[in-house]
Every structure is written in C-alpha cells, then in structure tokens.
C-alpha cells in the first residue's frame, strides 16, 4: 500500500484532516514536531505517527523515505514550506500543502525545473486557499480566451483557525498585494474598493493580499489580477488608517504580542459553526474590448473545503501519475474539481 503523510497533524486543520481520513479508512502517517500531541492523536485514531522538526534536514529526509505524498499543514508556510519541499525533491515524494501565502506560491513556482528533474509534483494551495478561486479563474479563462484582467473574491462569515490568524498577523507587515502589468506589487491595505454580488447580495468589498495573485497568473497567464473580500466602508477606512503604521506591525515585539493574543482568543470554528457558515466565491474576467463575464459558486465552509480538497488531491496523486512539475490545483485536478467536492454547488458563468 502506498504511504502518505500529514505533517502538522496536531494543528486545527491537521486534526480535521486526520479525523476525516481515518473515518474513510485511509491510513496516513501523522507527523509533526509536537511529540505528545501527535502521539495522542495517532493513538486516538489508531494511525502510525512520526515526530521530527523541519529545522533538521536529515531527520526530514529520513522520515519522508517511502512516502508517496506529503500533505503539509504546519504554517506559517513562509517558514516551513521550503525545508519540506527540499526533502521531497531529495526523496521523490509529491508535495501538497494548504497555504494561501503569495510568496510561498511564488517560491514553489520557481522550483518547476527541480520538480521535473526529481519526478515529483509540487502543488501548494489544495485547500480553500486556493481551489475555489483557482477553478473560477481557469473556467473564466476558458470562457473568455483573450481576457487580460481578472478579479476574484469570496464571502464567508466563518471564524479563523489559530494558524490562519497567525499567518494573517504576519501578513500585515507586507500590506496589500495585487498583480499589475505582470508584476506582483505592494499596495496599501484595502487599496481598491467596489460593489460586488458574490452570490448572496451586493456588498462593499476591498482588495486583499490573497494567494491567487500568484496562482491565478500561473493558471491563466493573465497579468492584471485583484482579489476582493466584503468589508463595511467604515472597517475599510480603519484598515487604510492602520496601513500608516505598517512598518511598526513588522517589528518582532509587535508580532509576538499579536500572535500571543491570537493564541489566547482564537480556537477555530466548531462543527456547528462550520455547517452554518457557507462560502460564496466570485470571479470576473474582462478583455481589452471591455467584454466581461462573471462566475459564481457556493461552497461548504472554508475549512470543510480544505479538508475535502486536500484529501481529493492526495487521492489523485496516490492513484495517478501526472507529469512532474509545479501545478496549481485546477491544473492538477482539473478546472471542475471544486464542483466535485461535497457541499459545493454548480458553477454559474454569465
């Protein structure tokens, strides 16, 4: 039987994935650096486990031996993705993760040639970041071949997991991000605003630094990309004022304080909260002539999409042998894969 691993299995999303895998009769090896937490989860689910720290390259390579796929869930991925990708390239193990971090996607894209030479697939972002928006981007490009501008976005009332919240804290120091003229550019927080119907009524929305700034370019080749999130005008104004203090937000003591507050106050949504907080995903493509097309899809809660999407990607790599290299989710799994996940509706394009 082909072996696969969940690294960071003791985190919020890692636990959701481990429990879902066990319920389906899958046998992942659970791994992470917290020995007691990983061992306790493995005992609860009757699964094998390994404990190792990503700061020890030899340990990482040793523990990946014999693995067909590793699903990486231990963020912030800006710090943890490179050592695990390095080990995957050495051991011939396919790499998946659930990141939404722009710079992590860019770094992974730069390893295309190494992945081809090693015979592995590198596909970050196989969760809510960025499967739904990546599929919408791919479908819009298919429907409007000459599109040269792309806007994406989503609406959800779901609360954050601790890991996502810590990553958001780290991201504050980078400000906003958009892709303009084929270049990722730093812009102020809440840089652009517009009214958008994500599928549940028109709302005021602002730009956010989402992973599609990197991935949708790789998927579609479109050079101008923005991602939007609903936000009340008053909240957007506060965010713009906060942007003035962005240099301070990157200071180590400030980051440490914010992450401490996150750890104390944020625990992630429970099952009832996830079931009540569905997501509405939207995209718009436009060509030089001004023609526009819009796509929308309703999905399950973001964390449920992450669980289903990540397991879908794992199963695909265990059962198939795609050409090695870097992939975005829609390129690896197909532009319709979001519609295959439980809780997702059909995508509507108009």
């Amino acid at each position: 039987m082909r072996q696969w691993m969940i690294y960071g299995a003791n985190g919020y999303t890692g636990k959701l994935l481990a429990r879902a895998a066990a319920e389906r009769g899958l046998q992942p090896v659970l791994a992470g650096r917290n020995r007691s937490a990983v061992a306790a989860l493995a005992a609860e689910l009757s699964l094998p486990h390994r404990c190792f720290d990503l700061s020890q390259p030899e340990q990482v390579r040793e523990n990946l031996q014999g693995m067909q796929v590793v699903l990486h869930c231990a963020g912030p991925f800006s710090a943890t993705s490179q050592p695990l990708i390095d080990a995957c390239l050495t051991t011939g193990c396919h790499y998946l993760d659930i990141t939404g971090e722009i710079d992590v996607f860019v770094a992974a894209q730069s390893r295309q040639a190494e992945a081809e030479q090693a015979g592995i697939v590198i596909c970050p972002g196989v969760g809510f970041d960025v499967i739904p928006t990546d599929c919408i981007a791919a479908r819009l490009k298919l429907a409007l071949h000459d599109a040269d501008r792309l806007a994406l976005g989503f609406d959800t009332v779901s609360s954050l997991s601790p890991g996502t919240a810590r990553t958001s804290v780290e991201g504050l120091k980078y400000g906003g991000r958009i892709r303009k003229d084929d270049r990722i550019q730093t812009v102020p927080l809440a840089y652009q605003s517009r009214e958008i119907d994500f599928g549940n009524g028109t709302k005021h929305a602002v730009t956010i630094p989402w992973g599609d700034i990197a991935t949708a370019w790789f998927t579609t080749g479109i050079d101008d990309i923005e991602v939007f999130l609903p936000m009340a005008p008053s909240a957007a104004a506060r965010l713009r004022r906060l942007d003035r203090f962005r240099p301070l937000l990157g200071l180590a003591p400030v980051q440490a304080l914010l992450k401490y507050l996150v750890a104390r106050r944020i625990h992630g949504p429970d099952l009832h909260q996830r079931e009540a907080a569905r997501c509405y995903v939207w995209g718009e493509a436009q060509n030089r002539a001004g023609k526009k097309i819009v796509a929308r899809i309703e999905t399950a809660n973001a964390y449920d999409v992450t669980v289903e999407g990540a397991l879908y990607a794992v199963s695909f790599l265990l059962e198939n042998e795609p050409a090695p290299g870097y992939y975005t989710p829609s390129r690896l799994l197909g532009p319709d894969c979001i519609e295959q996940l439980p809780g997702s509706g059909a995508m509507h394009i108009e």
Side-chain angles (χ1 to χ4, degrees):
M1 185 174 72
R2 294 182 173 182
Q3 287 189 300
W4 65 284
M5 175 184 288
I6 299 174
Y7 188 85
N10 56 297
Y12 174 83
T13 306
K15 286 180 181 177
L16 292 179
L17 278 157
R19 292 191 171 113
E23 288 171 2
R24 299 172 198 194
L26 303 176
Q27 292 288 312
V29 175
L30 306 186
R33 66 177 184 176
N34 187 325
R35 183 174 300 277
S36 60
V38 172
L41 182 63
E44 173 195 333
L45 301 176
S46 299
L47 293 173
H49 73 282
R50 301 179 184 180
C51 294
F52 57 97
D53 194 311
L54 297 180
S55 65
Q56 304 295 322
E58 291 185 7
Q59 286 187 18
V60 182
R61 291 193 297 268
E62 179 182 342
N63 281 280
L64 285 190
Q65 291 294 336
M67 293 294 148
Q68 178 83 6
V69 181
V70 62
L71 173 58
H72 183 27
C73 304
F77 296 90
S78 56
T80 63
S81 60
Q82 181 180 330
L84 201 48
I85 291 176
D86 288 344
C88 285
L89 290 167
T90 301
T91 59
C93 177
H94 297 310
Y95 174 90
L96 302 171
D97 72 28
I98 56 171
T99 191
E101 299 170 50
I102 293 170
D103 293 331
V104 173
F105 288 121
V106 172
Q109 290 166 6
S110 73
R111 312 198 78 167
Q112 165 82 18
E114 293 175 84
E116 291 176 350
Q117 185 175 6
I120 70 167
V121 164
I122 295 176
C123 184
V126 293
F128 187 80
D129 311 2
V130 291
I131 286 179
T133 41
D134 192 52
C135 287
I136 278 186
R139 291 280 293 277
L140 286 172
K141 181 64 174 180
L142 288 172
L144 189 63
H145 296 285
D146 61 345
D148 66 342
R149 296 185 62 184
L150 179 66
L152 300 164
F154 58 93
D155 182 17
T156 178
V157 295
S158 177
S159 57
L160 300 179
S161 72
T164 301
R166 285 193 298 270
T167 299
S168 298
V169 166
E170 287 208 349
L172 286 173
K173 60 188 176 185
Y174 299 114
R177 312 281 280 281
I178 64 170
R179 182 177 286 274
K180 180 70 173 176
D181 299 328
D182 195 25
R183 187 168 63 88
I184 295 175
Q185 299 185 17
T186 298
V187 295
L189 296 169
Y191 175 62
Q192 297 280 13
S193 63
R194 58 180 290 184
E195 304 298 310
I196 298 173
D197 180 2
F198 292 90
N200 58 343
T202 300
K203 298 182 179 180
H204 187 77
V206 299
T207 48
I208 61 170
W210 202 248
D212 298 275
I213 300 302
T215 54
W217 168 81
F218 196 93
T219 294
T220 67
I222 294 175
D223 293 338
D224 289 1
I225 303 170
E226 296 175 337
V227 183
F228 289 84
L229 185 74
M231 185 176 295
S234 58
R238 288 194 296 271
L239 196 58
R240 293 186 184 104
R241 289 195 294 270
L242 180 65
D243 190 77
R244 305 171 190 170
F245 303 98
R246 191 171 3 123
L248 297 177
L249 297 175
L251 296 177
V254 177
Q255 285 279 312
L257 173 61
L258 293 174
K259 290 177 182 178
Y260 169 76
L261 295 174
V262 162
R264 286 178 57 87
R265 299 180 182 181
I266 296 180
H267 306 287
D270 60 25
L271 176 60
H272 175 73
Q273 291 169 327
R274 294 199 308 273
E275 289 178 343
R278 293 180 61 78
C279 296
Y280 300 85
V281 189
W282 163 93
E284 177 189 87
Q286 179 177 341
N287 65 11
R288 292 185 185 278
K291 181 180 179 180
K292 294 181 181 180
I293 56 172
V294 172
R296 296 182 180 89
I297 188 170
E298 182 180 347
T299 75
N301 177 270
Y303 291 100
D304 294 332
V305 171
T306 293
V307 169
E308 298 296 339
L311 292 180
Y312 188 96
V314 168
S315 297
F316 180 86
L317 288 178
L318 292 176
E319 298 167 5
N320 298 275
E321 296 184 2
Y326 167 85
Y327 287 84
T328 58
S330 69
R331 286 204 164 191
L332 179 66
L333 307 173
D336 302 326
C337 68
I338 182 59
E339 296 171 282
Q340 313 304 315
L341 303 186
S344 291
M347 190 181 299
H348 300 282
I349 301 179
E350 57 192 49

